[in-house]
């Protein structure tokens, strides 16, 4: 189990400050680098995925996991000083390079969620030789729309004046999860939403605000996506507010090297809301890199079976030669 794997935590000094990295697994194995969404860290963004026994055993069988936290997002982080440099998205991408160099890593597999997906995509565009493949969950690739920019400014001001208040938490939870798990008047919140709400209380508001401001100043990466020749697998929940962003990104990537998985009845953070939906697409995607389990099977408890996946993914083309858009169907 993931929880029994030795965890080592490092603070890596970079040009723009300290970065926390949690390392799981055997460092002699290939590296999988993760980067979470706004106000999250590896506990609140990737725990569901790595606590899923099937996914966990498959990934830890093949990788050592390097969870990078955005500045000041790690557990127990102190507030970032007002005199500290506020990083841009380019600074955040450069920090990823500094982390790789600190650990002596070469080319790595990358997995990012929403804002983290943007940072890792930008990293892949700037340092192509350091990225083997991209696994992106509800990714961003364009500059913020006026609506998003205004909403982010409202959240930024609330964080500055009122901290991680109830309104900010509700806006973030709506960003992360579908209505089904957020609950309603008739139905209570799911356990994952309640756990995330508690973890948000631990975040330092100034640290979240800095990451938010960096993302609100991001630029459009669309034109450079076609030049990315690393294989890319994109997951997006059909109820994610960034669903159209994922479709746009898929349309700009080279179709020979990319695939889209739309997860029904799911919000943005597929890694938490429906981690089992990621298992089979991940297995077939990583087969293209020669990574696999000795027994390719699905647990009876998994909501996915091979017949739930579009035939394109199960074809020989999907083994790394050609990946096509697919859609999951969760019963």
């Amino acid at each position: 189990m993931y929880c029994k794997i030795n965890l080592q935590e490092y603070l890596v000094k970079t040009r723009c400050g300290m970065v926390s990295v949690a390392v799981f697994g055997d460092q002699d194995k290939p590296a999988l680098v993760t980067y979470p969404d706004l106000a999250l860290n590896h506990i609140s963004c990737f725990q569901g995925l790595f606590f899923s026994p099937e996914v966990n055993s498959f990934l830890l069988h093949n990788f050592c996991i390097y969870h990078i936290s955005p500045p000041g997002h790690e557990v127990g982080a102190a507030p970032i000083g007002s005199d500290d440099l506020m990083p841009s998205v380019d600074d955040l991408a450069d920090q990823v390079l500094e982390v790789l160099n600190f650990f002596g890593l070469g080319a790595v597999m990358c997995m990012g969620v929403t804002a983290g997906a943007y940072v890792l995509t930008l990293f892949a565009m700037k340092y192509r030789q350091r990225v083997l493949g991209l696994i992106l969950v509800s990714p961003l690739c364009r500059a913020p729309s006026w609506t998003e920019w205004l909403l982010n400014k409202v959240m930024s001001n609330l964080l500055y004046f009122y901290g991680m208040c109830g309104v900010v938490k509700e806006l973030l939870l709506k960003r992360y999860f579908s209505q089904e798990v957020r609950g309603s008047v008739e139905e209570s919140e799911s356990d994952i939403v309640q756990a995330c709400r508690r973890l948000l209380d631990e975040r330092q508001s100034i640290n979240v605000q800095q990451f938010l401001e960096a993302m609100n100043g991001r630029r459009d990466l669309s034109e450079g996506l076609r030049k990315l020749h690393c294989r890319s697998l994109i997951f997006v929940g059909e109820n994610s507010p960034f669903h159209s962003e994922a479709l746009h990104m898929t349309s700009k990537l080279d179709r020979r090297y990319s695939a889209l998985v739309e997860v029904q009845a799911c919000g943005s953070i597929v890694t938490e809301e429906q981690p089992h939906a990621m298992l089979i697409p991940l297995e077939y995607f990583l087969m293209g890199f020669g990574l696999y389990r000795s027994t390719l099977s699905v647990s009876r408890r998994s909501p996915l079976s091979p017949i739930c996946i579009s035939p394109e993914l199960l074809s020989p083309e999907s083994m790394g030669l050609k990946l096509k858009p697919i859609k999951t169907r969760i019963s």
Side-chain angles (χ1 to χ4, degrees), residues 155-191:
M155 275 204 294
S156 181
N157 287 330
L158 288 170
L159 285 164
Y160 183 82
F161 289 108
Y162 301 104
M164 186 60 74
C165 60
V167 175
V168 172
K169 281 189 283 189
E170 291 305 321
L171 290 172
L172 288 172
L173 292 172
K174 188 174 181 180
R175 171 190 177 103
Y176 303 150
F177 300 112
S178 66
Q179 183 65 57
E180 285 83 353
V181 295
R182 294 202 315 275
S184 61
V185 176
E186 295 81 15
E187 297 182 6
S188 60
E189 291 180 339
S190 69
D191 291 342

Side-chain angles (χ1 to χ4, degrees), residues 5 30 59 64 67 71 74 77 94 102 119 143 154 156 177 179 185 187 197 199 206 209 216 227 261 266 269 316:
I5 297 295
L59 291 179
C64 180
H67 292 299
E74 67 274 13
D94 291 342
F102 175 85
V119 172
V154 170
S156 181
F177 300 112
Q179 183 65 57
V185 176
E187 297 182 6
R197 186 185 293 278
L199 289 167
I206 186 65
Q209 186 204 16
N216 220 23
K227 299 175 184 177
V261 181
C266 189
I269 308 186

